[in-house]
Amino acid sequence: MNAGGHGAAVRIEACGKTFADGTHALEPATLDIARSETLVLLGPSGCGKTTLLRIIAGLEVPDAGGKVLFDGKDVTGVPIEHRNVGMVFQSYALFPNMTVADNIGYGLKIRGMAKDERAARIAELVALTNIAGLENRRIDQLSGGQRQRVALARAVAIRPGILLLDEPLTALDAALRDRLRSELNRLLRELGITTIYVTHDQAEAMELGDRIVVMRKGAIAQIGTPREVYFTPTNRFVAEFVGAANIVEAPMEQGELILPGGRLPAGGEATAAKAIVMIRPETIRVTEVGTGPVSAVVDAVNFIGDRLRLVVSGAAGRPLNVDAPNTVQAKVGDRVGLSIAPEAIRVLPSES
Amino acid sequence: MRQYGVPRWGTILTMSQKSFVWLCLLPLAAVTAAFFLLPMARLVVAGAEGEHGLAGYLAILAEPRYRGTLINTVVLAAATTIVTLVVATIAGMFLQRHRFPGRAVLIAMLTFPLAFPGVVVGFMIILLAGRQGLIGELSNRMFGEKIVFAYSIYGLFLGYLYFSIPRVILTIMAAVQKLDVGLEEAARSLGASPWAVQRDVVLPALAPAFVASGAIAFATAMGAFGTAFTLATNIDVLPMLIYTEFTLAANFATSAALSVGLGLITWLILALARSFSGSTVAAAG
Ligand SMILES: Nc1ncnc2c1ncn2[C@@H]1O[C@H](COP(=O)(O)OP(=O)(O)O)[C@@H](O)[C@H]1O
Ligand SMILES: [Mg+2]
């Protein structure tokens, strides 16, 4: 389907936000979003994601000095109704006094589109979002998943330059969320509109984002592709928020971590009295006792189905989480060796 | 399998609970019968006990004086309701959505007349637009002509407005507070101008509040007596007519017929308004 071009490029320049009551919701942030890119704003609740999204939408004015540009044009003073953005709200905000079809067609009607043309466009979106048969329903006769689709159809109907989604799946139960996530992913790829997607769920962010902006307490903690954010977090907050991470503090000598369970090569030649490193659970290999560079004792074995999650102690200053293949034979109390590829050990800045 | 004890007790309990509920309803039934249904029935009967019998009811519509009064009253009540809704919606929306110094005082002032009986409202209209009133004084100084309208239909209209705006404002403010701001933002994101947002989102969401508070304003205006009585207007409204027929002419049958007519017409118009607004909501939704 042709959704009408591939949207606008967005630039946010030094956009901070202090609310009237004095809340510093957002530190001045600068950000470039390429045409037809999907950018995810990821962070815990209250970190300023919605505020940033609303500034881009035109529902919130940034503090003095902040600027929002669409395709190089300054739109900071342009109200939302003239920005041509499609928005999906966390609560969906569907009009209760209109049918599903009227909701989807509302933006088209406002634009003065003729009735037949409008009907054709609505039919197109009904097919695209898989809600055939619901056209004449009232909003209170829809399930949560159906509402989510209608909200998306309504936002996309106007062929927006930018699509903004604020936690569109958070209100749904887990199974539905997983299904809709991949559906949404397919749809966003198909539409190819510039998309800014807010979520606090890192799995959602990984699957949907071309790039992820990790936010913390109103500031940007890191910007990168899902792989960059996952494998090479630049600080401890990102390392722990995105995926599971073992954070180990230990002295380092010529690129080797000095751990209670042995010396672990971490690559490089660095020496430090106290290094902070991140090790992902799935990068730790469990070996025969005595074969790895580090030895440990198995404290717990949790069979999760597709893998084993072990907790081992004695290797580092604190217990380590280890994700092992589900074929590994390990029992509580076993002594094991651990080996970790030096590339998998990520040294983090000591202050973060 | 036979069961003992519990189910039988359960049955007994439900039985006695049921009769208990009925027992509680008894005083209500008695009060309704004694103070509502019986006088009402008596009123209806009295309306047909005049020299023309049941035709006395027809006289309400046939007799020009009665008919004129009836039309006056309905038009006045309708105009009061519409203007009240417009004024109270704009004021209520503004007051609920904006914070400014003096807001609490303003709300208090606007709702202050809630406590006033119609007599006091009439009195205030005379102070404002009567022969010695403020407006007359001012216009006399400015154009050398005394503007006096307290005793005309305009004075009455102003009094009714004064009476009903506070009630409606409070209802509208409560409804505005419950509006979902997200809906308005969604409409704007789709390109709707501020006017379109009001038309397509805000007003439909306030419709139930309009019907509820409009009904009260209309019924109050239909039956308002104190204001009209105090102003001693040169136009007749139905409650005044009933009063004069009853006390001055001792025409019980006609005043009873007029009373029943007043009730019926008010009820009919409210029912129409409700079903109309209900059907528009259904059609829109
Ligand atoms: N209108 C507002 N007035 C005052 N504070 C606000 C307002 N909106 C949000 N905040 C505050 O700003 C911070 C960021 O909020 P928000 O952007 O909604 O976070 P997120 O979407 O990441 O959960 C929070 O501390 C929140 O309480
Ligand atoms: Mg939010």
Side-chain angles (χ1 to χ4, degrees), chain A residues 105 108-122:
Chain A
L108 307 173
K109 192 169 159 194
I110 285 290
R111 280 163 174 69
M113 186 184 273
K115 207 166 176 188
D116 315 346
E117 207 182 333
R118 209 160 73 213
R121 177 75 179 145
I122 292 171

Side-chain angles (χ1 to χ4, degrees), chain A residues 19-21 23-25 43-52 60 166-167 198:
Chain A
F19 283 106
D21 63 358
T23 311
H24 285 288
S45 165
C47 71
K49 309 179 294 288
T50 297
T51 303
L52 182 52
E60 219 70 81
D166 194 353
E167 313 224 12
V198 165

